[in-house]
Amino acid sequence: MKVIHLISGGDSGGAKTHVLSLLAHLNETITAQLVCFRDGPFAEEARQLGIPTEIMAGNHIFRIRRQLTRYILDGGFQVIHCHGARANMIGAMLRRTTGLPVCSTVHSDYKLDYMGRPFSRLTFGNINALALRQLDFRIGVSDAMVDLLIRRNFPPDRFFTIYNGIDFTPAPPQGDRLPYLRGLGLDADENSVVVGIAARLNPVKDIATLVRGFAKAYAQCSRLRLLIAGDGEERQKLETLARELGVKRQVCFAGWISGGMDRFYSALDVNALTSVSETFPYALTEGARFHLATVATAVGGIPALIDTDVNGYLFTPGDDDALGRALAALAQDDALRRAMGERLYEKASSQFSIQRTVDTQLHIYEEIVRRHSRPKAARDGIVICGAYGRGNAGDDAILEAILQEMRSIDPDMPTLVLSKNPKETRLAYRVRAVQRFNYPAWRASMRHAKLYINGGGSLIQDVTSRRSLWFYLHNISTAKRMGCKVQMYGCGIGPVTRPSHRKMAARVLNAAVDVITLREPDSQAELRSMGVTKPKVLLTADPALTLRSAPPEKTDSVLLQAGVPTGGRYLCFALRKWRGFEEKAPVFAAAAEYAYEKHGLTPVFLAVEKHQDPLAAAIAAQGLRVPHYFLNDAGGAGTIIGALARMEVVVSMRLHALIFAAGQGIPLVGVVYDPKVSSFLRYIGQDLFADLTELTAPKLCAMIDRAVEQAAQPERQAAAVARLQEMEHGNVQIAKELLGL
């Protein structure tokens, strides 16, 4: 493969490090040609690293475009890769003259690149923003950068994510630190805990917050010292601030440090970063290489590296109180500081190495070439509709699973999702999404799609809303009229209570649906009783059964932020408000106290629907006399699954809490407010459930006793779930057949 990289040639900082280290390693596998629009130190360093480098200087943009067009076509390049505003502008022009795919790595927020320079922002900033929209693909340095651009209405399915990686080969011994620190001007001794930062002293880095936070921490722990490596326009103001706060002697402004940064990081105890905006800073991985405990702002891609309370501390930009507390905690506890540094090193070295970055970039190029070469067709792709974008982790888990399975069939398949909150759906799943009531948009997509998926869950029912039944039936009919194949995907049916609704549903499903795959047998019986006979009907399973738990450190972070110790023994309650719930709430409280006293299980109330379930949890826990915790926002499906996997027993009204926990082999107790709950439990051979209306404290406590017994023998449930996971593949197989693949 041959890729040409375009860059101005005057770059510095993280962008320079990223491009030079990436190209040096890429050229071990492919041809990665660098073209700079000026000569100078950047191009010279590239040559020294063995990167093939050309200079095409000058201000005549159209002459440079002609030069580059000939050079690219004669050289047989396959991808044009841009870095920075000037390269993006020229890359946008080269799309037409070369016919090649053009991508750009977005190293920083283009709206902040010219902070304090209004004329440059008005000209270069706006030109860059326009050029970025003309390119085929964009690569964000961190998921947070991708999210930022998607919020600005860039197409969500034309993005890739890459993280800055470094070489984690252990550095040679750096010598005694005390002479080095004193040589820089820091008043330190053998007992000092040294906090350090390497950064430009400008407003974006917000070093003032670091100085204020340090002063508050120093008031609690006099061992602390602060070493600031860097220079910039704010230096004098920062020195004045340190003097005013009474920490002038404990803070050292060392200026730019020569001789490499290994010596600097090896002399620190704590690495800090206080920026208000970042992509994914090298300063943190360089510190992690030296096993440094780290405190940083929760901006850009930093939360991808730091799991707060697990391998470091995150705080909101400008919050010097939180920063001060974190620095004091690390200064006062040597064991904690070392443990966090070790855990950060383990994660960074395995997930953020330069080899991982290079491998990611090669996969990106392969996908760009593949997608660019995809044959044009009159019909291509899918439209997915369901109860998405409502804040319900169960419904959104269905979407996540369907998208995952569709990408396993065809990773480049165009996809549109109908969502109540399309902005949230675009961000979460990197997929095109429109408002579910934007009739012209999704109708137009149906004209060109091959397959319409009515996506999981109990959509065909009239208990919660008759309008939703009409909506889904109308969409199914429209999709068929527009020429789509139609699949109802791993769904539940009913209850449909009104005779007129049953008749209408049967008429639409018989006329417009090609295949219905069902998640449990009761839905099959409901279809038969409604008179649905035309579509092919198969028994499969809920798509959410295929989802996996988040990495342990992510789950740990979610639990710790909610105040839940990670090593405890827990009984989970996943509750929702329903008719009669408040009357039964004392039953859950009594069962929670019983389980704590008899089995030593601490109650944890987990919200699946984060907008509604916390209220149900608060009602149930009112007056509870034993320790208990609330997980009101456990994140997405992965972290919810991870949290449920830490429970010994799960008592749930929420179907998807039962599905997630079942997939982890956790003993279940179901509280049935809707037939879908008992249908699923029977399907996996589980008999521990009771109707909400008939629930009593003795009955619930007895079921918890039996579930605790089952915890020691998980084989039966695990076998049932494994069988369902195998059956779930039927959903994918049907979709594949309907797509003609």
Side-chain angles (χ1 to χ4, degrees):
M1 179 178 288
K2 298 187 72 175
V3 180
I4 188 166
H5 286 253
L6 310 181
I7 194 165
S8 72
D11 302 78
S12 61
K16 172 186 175 182
T17 305
H18 176 95
V19 173
L20 293 181
S21 61
L22 178 65
L23 266 65
H25 286 84
L26 280 175
N27 276 294
E28 296 172 3
T29 308
I30 64 171
T31 298
Q33 173 71 51
L34 179 64
V35 172
C36 298
F37 300 125
R38 71 170 83 164
D39 208 345
F42 184 99
E44 182 55 36
E45 190 170 340
R47 294 186 195 102
Q48 290 173 4
L49 290 169
I51 299 169
T53 304
E54 290 285 336
I55 307 298
M56 294 191 184
N59 295 319
H60 197 304
I61 297 299
F62 294 103
R63 185 173 66 226
I64 290 174
R65 182 187 65 174
R66 287 194 299 272
Q67 272 185 280
L68 273 170
T69 300
R70 287 194 301 270
Y71 186 83
I72 289 166
L73 295 177
D74 292 345
F77 292 96
Q78 296 160 276
V79 177
I80 301 169
H81 191 157
C82 306
H83 304 268
R86 185 177 176 89
N88 290 337
M89 179 180 64
I90 294 173
M93 299 165 71
L94 290 170
R95 284 182 71 234
R96 296 181 181 178
T97 59
T98 65
L100 294 179
V102 182
C103 67
S104 173
T105 295
V106 185
H107 296 274
S108 58
D109 182 354
Y110 56 83
K111 288 190 175 183
L112 299 179
D113 284 344
Y114 302 101
M115 184 179 284
R117 298 156 60 194
F119 180 75
S120 295
R121 181 177 180 180
L122 185 65
T123 53
F124 299 126
N126 284 332
I127 290 170
N128 187 31
L130 290 170
L132 269 174
R133 293 187 184 276
Q134 304 304 311
L135 306 184
D136 298 290
F137 300 96
R138 287 147 287 271
I139 304 167
V141 180
S142 79
D143 285 301
M145 177 54 66
V146 174
D147 289 346
L148 178 71
L149 296 176
I150 291 174
R151 288 191 188 97
R152 293 176 184 169
N153 293 319
F154 283 82
D157 57 345
R158 311 293 284 184
F159 274 102
F160 302 97
T161 300
I162 198 165
Y163 281 88
N164 293 328
I166 67 169
D167 184 352
F168 276 90
T169 302
Q174 301 295 312
D176 293 338
R177 77 169 189 160
L178 206 52
Y180 173 75
L181 292 172
R182 288 174 174 169
L184 293 174
L186 184 67
D187 180 16
D189 58 33
E190 293 83 354
N191 295 317
S192 296
V193 175
V194 180
V195 180
I197 188 170
R200 299 185 306 277
L201 306 188
N202 67 17
V204 174
K205 299 302 180 180
D206 193 17
I207 308 299
T209 289
L210 177 58
V211 175
R212 285 192 291 267
F214 171 81
K216 291 178 178 179
Y218 177 74
Q220 300 178 54
C221 181
S222 60
R223 298 172 64 197
L224 276 167
R225 298 292 185 271
L226 176 58
L227 178 60
I228 299 172
D231 213 336
E233 64 267 31
E234 293 205 317
R235 178 164 179 168
Q236 186 173 351
K237 183 175 77 172
L238 293 167
E239 289 177 340
T240 300
L241 177 62
R243 185 168 56 253
E244 291 172 350
L245 294 172
V247 290
K248 178 183 177 182
R249 190 173 63 83
Q250 290 77 29
V251 179
C252 172
F253 291 87
W256 295 117
I257 291 177
S258 59
M261 296 304 293
D262 285 359
R263 191 80 178 89
F264 173 77
Y265 285 110
S266 71
L268 302 181
D269 297 292
V270 179
N271 193 18
L273 187 141
T274 51
S275 302
V276 297
S277 175
E278 288 283 356
T279 49
F280 189 73
Y282 280 102
L284 295 190
T285 45
E286 288 171 348
R289 181 170 170 242
F290 285 89
H291 305 248
L292 294 181
T294 300
V295 184
T297 44
V299 297
I302 294 170
L305 173 64
I306 296 179
D307 304 298
T308 195
D309 296 331
V310 177
N311 61 10
Y313 292 113
L314 296 175
F315 66 97
T316 304
D319 189 349
D320 50 76
D321 287 330
L323 173 58
R325 288 192 298 271
L327 292 178
L330 291 171
Q332 292 167 344
D333 191 333
D334 295 346
L336 173 67
R337 192 170 64 248
R338 285 191 292 269
M340 283 199 165
E342 287 302 319
R343 286 195 287 266
L344 185 62
Y345 172 80
E346 289 169 9
K347 181 173 182 179
S349 60
S350 63
Q351 298 183 29
F352 299 98
S353 67
I354 183 60
Q355 193 54 54
R356 175 70 73 93
T357 302
V358 170
D359 291 344
T360 300
Q361 187 66 73
L362 290 171
H363 286 306
I364 290 171
Y365 289 147
E366 290 168 4
E367 185 166 341
I368 286 174
V369 171
R370 188 180 68 234
R371 290 178 67 175
H372 186 72
S373 305
R374 187 181 179 92
K376 305 296 181 187
R379 282 194 174 275
D380 194 9
I382 57 175
V383 175
I384 306 174
C385 180
Y388 312 132
R390 295 171 172 267
N392 186 312
D395 291 327
D396 287 336
I398 292 171
L399 174 60
E400 183 177 349
I402 293 173
L403 289 171
Q404 180 178 285
E405 293 179 329
M406 292 304 101
R407 287 163 180 161
S408 74
I409 295 173
D410 179 354
D412 307 324
M413 183 158 46
T415 302
L416 179 76
V417 175
L418 278 58
S419 171
K420 184 179 181 183
N421 189 338
K423 289 184 179 179
E424 184 180 278
T425 300
R426 291 184 203 114
L427 286 169
Y429 306 112
R430 305 283 195 265
V431 67
R432 289 187 303 131
V434 297
Q435 224 291 332
R436 53 196 275 123
F437 294 117
N438 187 346
Y439 180 77
W442 53 255
R443 192 172 184 272
S445 290
M446 287 175 179
R447 287 186 179 277
H448 302 288
K450 278 187 178 181
L451 176 64
Y452 173 83
I453 290 179
N454 186 255
S458 298
L459 304 179
I460 306 303
Q461 52 86 24
D462 63 359
V463 175
T464 58
S465 168
R466 55 186 173 181
R467 289 190 300 273
S468 71
L469 175 66
W470 301 340
F471 172 79
Y472 292 119
L473 291 175
H474 174 260
N475 281 22
I476 287 170
S477 296
T478 303
K480 180 55 71 174
R481 286 199 309 274
M482 295 297 101
C484 295
K485 296 286 187 180
V486 177
Q487 178 182 1
M488 295 172 64
Y489 196 103
C491 60
I493 303 293
V496 182
T497 57
R498 297 190 177 198
S500 61
H501 288 169
R502 294 174 70 82
K503 193 172 181 180
M504 176 175 61
R507 184 176 69 251
V508 171
L509 300 187
N510 280 326
V513 179
D514 294 283
V515 183
I516 303 174
T517 56
L518 299 170
R519 67 186 180 188
E520 28 74 19
D522 289 11
S523 293
Q524 201 169 25
E526 178 73 351
L527 284 175
R528 280 197 298 266
S529 70
M530 288 166 58
V532 177
T533 58
K534 296 288 179 67
K536 183 179 180 181
V537 178
L538 295 173
L539 191 58
T540 57
D542 193 294
L545 278 165
T546 64
L547 296 178
R548 297 180 179 179
S549 171
E553 63 270 16
K554 290 293 182 190
T555 301
D556 286 345
S557 184
V558 165
L559 293 172
L560 290 169
Q561 286 183 75
V564 184
T566 56
R569 299 180 61 223
Y570 299 114
L571 166 69
C572 178
F573 289 91
L575 308 176
R576 65 166 295 170
K577 281 205 70 179
W578 194 256
R579 291 183 297 273
F581 174 80
E582 291 193 33
E583 178 187 340
K584 295 294 183 179
V587 172
F588 296 107
E593 292 186 355
Y594 172 82
Y596 181 82
E597 291 164 0
K598 181 172 181 181
H599 300 293
L601 300 179
T602 303
V604 174
F605 294 87
L606 181 144
V608 173
E609 210 288 1
K610 62 185 178 182
H611 303 302
Q612 299 177 13
D613 293 0
L615 177 58
I619 293 170
Q622 197 168 21
L624 203 56
R625 294 167 298 182
V626 299
H628 56 282
Y629 302 101
F630 296 96
L631 266 175
N632 289 337
D633 186 358
T639 45
I640 290 177
I641 293 169
L644 288 167
R646 307 291 179 89
M647 308 295 153
E648 293 196 23
V649 174
V650 170
V651 177
S652 180
M653 296 173 67
R654 285 288 186 185
L655 173 63
H656 277 92
L658 294 169
I659 290 172
F660 293 156
Q664 301 300 305
I666 307 301
L668 310 173
V669 175
V671 177
V672 181
Y673 75 96
D674 184 291
K676 64 187 180 183
V677 175
S678 51
S679 296
F680 169 73
L681 291 169
R682 279 196 297 269
Y683 196 27
I684 64 171
Q686 174 64 271
D687 60 354
L688 296 181
F689 58 87
D691 286 344
L692 177 65
T693 56
E694 300 172 0
L695 194 66
T696 64
K699 185 181 291 187
L700 183 53
C701 291
M703 289 192 292
I704 290 171
D705 285 340
R706 289 181 57 195
V708 170
E709 293 172 8
Q710 290 179 7
Q713 299 175 330
E715 298 83 6
R716 179 181 171 190
Q717 183 169 297
V721 172
R723 175 178 58 83
L724 287 187
Q725 289 172 335
E726 183 63 32
M727 292 180 68
E728 197 280 333
H729 293 316
N731 295 322
V732 186
Q733 189 57 40
I734 291 298
K736 199 171 181 180
E737 291 172 8
L738 293 174
L739 286 164
L741 299 174

